[in-house]
Amino acid sequence: MKLLIIRHGDPDYTIDSLTEKGRREAVLLSQRIAPMNIAAYYVSPLGRAQRTAEFTLGACGRTAQTLDWMREFDCNIPAPDTGEYRIPWDMLPASWTSIPAYYDKDAWCDVPVMAQVGMRDAIAQVHEGLDKLLAQHGYVREGNIYRAVRPNTDTIALFCHFGVECVMLGHLLGISPMVLWHGFIAAPTSVTTVCTEERREGIASFRVTAFGDVSHLYVHDEPPAFSGRFCEMFSNTEERHD
């Protein structure tokens, strides 16, 4: 089975929708995804993901199931320097890299700033939602692997958000989301492909074969949006620092 984890197009967060660029990106994405043989479509309830999916669904005459656990991961934490509540993947490198627990796939939730906002419960909701979905498609989690009760080569598409994408990947791969949140970036409308591998009958694991692919943009000379990234150099005042 293949999972296509798709980030929404360039966002206008003020209205929870897409910018004009985001709409162009979503059209180009639809030209890539709509012709594919997709077994099922799933989408976050948030507007920017819904708007992105609409272009693909309209092009192929399909519908998607909206899943609340796929909404952007909004368990915000207080920033160490200001106390302002912010998304956990916007932490300054110096604020988290010095704490070894953040690199541990289990212990990171117990760092005090995470524990005080109920991070473990919030993460569990995504894990449980993902495992329920995979079970519906024939793969049941047992420990750190999946039992292939109905092995298949279906492809399912999930239109969602960068933050929750990293939570899903962390669960499938056994990696702390902190490492994924801060060490990777999935540009708007990027496609991450995750495949099952069943090297022994009935025992499956997941492997990423492509992360954050935006080839559908490059082929049409549409540059990826900067959303989710920070400045390449501190002296660059046109790109965000915080």
Side-chain angles (χ1 to χ4, degrees), residues 6 9 20-21 53 71 100 164 202 242:
I6 303 169
E20 182 56 40
K21 174 173 173 51
R71 67 189 304 113
V164 75
D242 292 305

Side-chain angles (χ1 to χ4, degrees), residues 175-235:
I175 300 172
S176 165
M178 290 292 287
V179 177
L180 299 171
W181 281 333
H182 295 90
F184 290 78
I185 183 63
T189 69
S190 63
V191 181
T192 294
T193 304
V194 190
C195 297
T196 54
E197 291 187 344
E198 191 183 349
R199 297 176 62 186
R200 294 294 184 273
E201 187 175 7
I203 301 173
S205 60
F206 284 87
R207 174 169 283 188
V208 175
T209 59
F211 179 87
D213 179 21
V214 288
S215 56
H216 55 280
L217 302 182
Y218 285 127
V219 75
H220 292 285
D221 297 319
E222 180 73 39
F226 196 77
S227 175
R229 294 183 58 195
F230 295 95
C231 55
E232 223 171 303
M233 298 187 302
F234 186 78
S235 59

Side-chain angles (χ1 to χ4, degrees), residues 87-109:
I87 53 178
W89 50 95
D90 275 1
M91 291 179 70
L92 291 171
S95 298
W96 75 273
T97 56
S98 60
I99 301 175
Y102 277 134
Y103 293 87
D104 186 287
K105 69 180 182 68
D106 297 313
W108 75 276
C109 285

Side-chain angles (χ1 to χ4, degrees), residues 2-242:
K2 293 182 179 66
L3 311 179
L4 304 183
I5 305 176
I6 303 169
R7 187 184 174 194
H8 56 75
D10 187 49
D12 182 340
Y13 289 116
T14 63
I15 58 172
D16 186 24
S17 189
L18 303 179
T19 64
E20 182 56 40
K21 174 173 173 51
R23 288 189 284 274
R24 290 198 307 272
E25 293 171 345
V27 169
L28 297 177
L29 172 70
S30 72
Q31 294 172 9
R32 173 182 180 178
I33 302 298
M36 298 175 66
N37 182 21
I38 304 294
Y41 287 93
Y42 300 95
V43 63
S44 155
L46 299 187
R48 52 196 184 272
Q50 293 273 334
R51 301 295 84 74
T52 302
E54 283 173 358
F55 290 93
T56 295
L57 297 171
C60 63
R62 299 282 297 278
T63 60
Q65 182 180 351
T66 297
L67 298 175
D68 190 66
W69 63 265
M70 281 174 51
R71 67 189 304 113
E72 182 56 294
F73 190 72
D74 57 2
C75 189
N76 294 347
I77 60 171
D81 49 345
T82 66
E84 175 190 5
Y85 277 78
R86 302 185 62 177
I87 53 178
W89 50 95
D90 275 1
M91 291 179 70
L92 291 171
S95 298
W96 75 273
T97 56
S98 60
I99 301 175
Y102 277 134
Y103 293 87
D104 186 287
K105 69 180 182 68
D106 297 313
W108 75 276
C109 285
D110 298 323
V111 175
V113 71
M114 298 292 176
Q116 76 180 61
V117 298
M119 185 64 71
R120 185 170 294 281
D121 289 341
I123 287 286
Q125 291 181 25
V126 178
H127 292 179
E128 290 167 5
L130 178 58
D131 285 342
K132 181 179 178 181
L133 177 63
L134 294 176
Q136 291 171 355
H137 286 274
Y139 294 85
V140 177
R141 190 173 182 101
E142 292 184 359
N144 291 321
I145 57 93
Y146 286 81
R147 183 67 59 185
V149 295
R150 294 191 309 279
N152 61 79
T153 57
D154 290 348
T155 299
I156 64 174
L158 298 85
F159 287 82
C160 54
H161 313 264
F162 172 67
V164 75
E165 172 179 352
C166 291
V167 176
M168 287 191 278
L169 290 175
H171 186 52
L172 294 175
L173 305 177
I175 300 172
S176 165
M178 290 292 287
V179 177
L180 299 171
W181 281 333
H182 295 90
F184 290 78
I185 183 63
T189 69
S190 63
V191 181
T192 294
T193 304
V194 190
C195 297
T196 54
E197 291 187 344
E198 191 183 349
R199 297 176 62 186
R200 294 294 184 273
E201 187 175 7
I203 301 173
S205 60
F206 284 87
R207 174 169 283 188
V208 175
T209 59
F211 179 87
D213 179 21
V214 288
S215 56
H216 55 280
L217 302 182
Y218 285 127
V219 75
H220 292 285
D221 297 319
E222 180 73 39
F226 196 77
S227 175
R229 294 183 58 195
F230 295 95
C231 55
E232 223 171 303
M233 298 187 302
F234 186 78
S235 59
N236 188 338
T237 58
E238 295 183 359
E239 297 172 348
R240 70 179 185 135
H241 294 69
D242 292 305

